[in-house]
């Protein structure tokens, strides 16, 4: 099931998709994705579904900042809030391993064109050095 909501009212609207759990059956329902319980496989599938995918926690200020960065650039990322997902903790640990970090706090994690870009530090470095826009254009997320 896909939910869309507006994040901020003080600037250009930006909508995010959020994955949610199905009724009491324990089946995970995600747009365009079948139920997948393996966290790494689920991450790979979700990352491949949209041009820009952000794995986030709804209460994380750094996650909010990276979402705002993309929105300010005119990109509408697909956001998966891990704290709203039944296997979100397992996915967060899998993302931490993908990033090569020992700590479980590994969000936000950004994928562009189905490829891992990294956490906030890598996204900001790419933005500052000018390599982020070409990545977004190549993924079809930006048409300028």
């Amino acid at each position: 099931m896909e939910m869309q909501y507006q994040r901020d009212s003080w600037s250009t609207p930006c909508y995010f998709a959020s994955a949610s759990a199905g009724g009491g059956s324990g089946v995970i329902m995600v747009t365009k994705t079948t139920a997948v319980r393996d966290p790494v496989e689920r991450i790979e599938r979700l990352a491949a579904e949209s041009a820009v995918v952000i794995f986030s926690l709804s209460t994380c200020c750094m996650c909010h900042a990276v979402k705002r960065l993309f929105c300010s650039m005119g990109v509408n990322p697909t956001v998966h809030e891990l704290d709203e997902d039944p296997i979100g903790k397992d996915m967060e640990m899998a993302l931490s391993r993908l990033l090569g970090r020992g700590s479980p706090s590994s969000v936000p994690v950004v994928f562009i064109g189905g490829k891992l870009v990294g956490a906030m530090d890598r996204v900001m470095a790419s933005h500052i050095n000018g390599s982020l826009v070409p990545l977004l254009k190549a993924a079809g997320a930006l048409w300028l």
Side-chain angles (χ1 to χ4, degrees), residues 8-134:
D8 299 333
S9 60
W10 69 82
S11 61
T12 306
C14 186
Y15 297 92
F16 302 106
S18 176
S20 65
S25 66
V27 176
I28 298 165
M29 300 195 49
V30 178
T31 308
K32 303 181 202 168
T33 304
T34 57
V36 177
R37 289 267 176 213
D38 176 52
V40 175
E41 183 180 343
R42 181 132 183 255
I43 290 165
E44 290 170 350
R45 283 189 183 194
L46 293 171
E49 285 182 355
S50 300
V52 178
V53 176
I54 302 172
F55 291 93
S56 171
L57 292 174
S58 59
T59 58
C60 170
C61 62
M62 297 307 279
C63 296
H64 176 74
V66 81
K67 289 181 259 189
R68 294 298 309 141
L69 170 67
F70 285 109
C71 288
S72 71
M73 297 174 76
V75 173
N76 290 316
T78 298
V79 176
H80 295 282
E81 300 291 357
L82 298 176
D83 53 338
E84 297 174 7
D85 190 297
I87 66 166
K89 278 288 183 199
D90 294 332
M91 291 173 67
E92 191 174 354
M93 294 298 281
L95 288 164
S96 181
R97 286 190 302 272
L98 284 173
L99 292 172
R101 295 185 177 175
S103 77
S105 181
S106 58
V107 293
V109 178
V110 176
F111 287 80
I112 298 176
K115 296 178 181 141
L116 175 64
V117 173
M120 182 71 163
D121 56 342
R122 297 283 305 193
V123 172
M124 291 308 295
S126 298
H127 180 54
I128 291 167
N129 72 25
S131 63
L132 185 59
V133 169

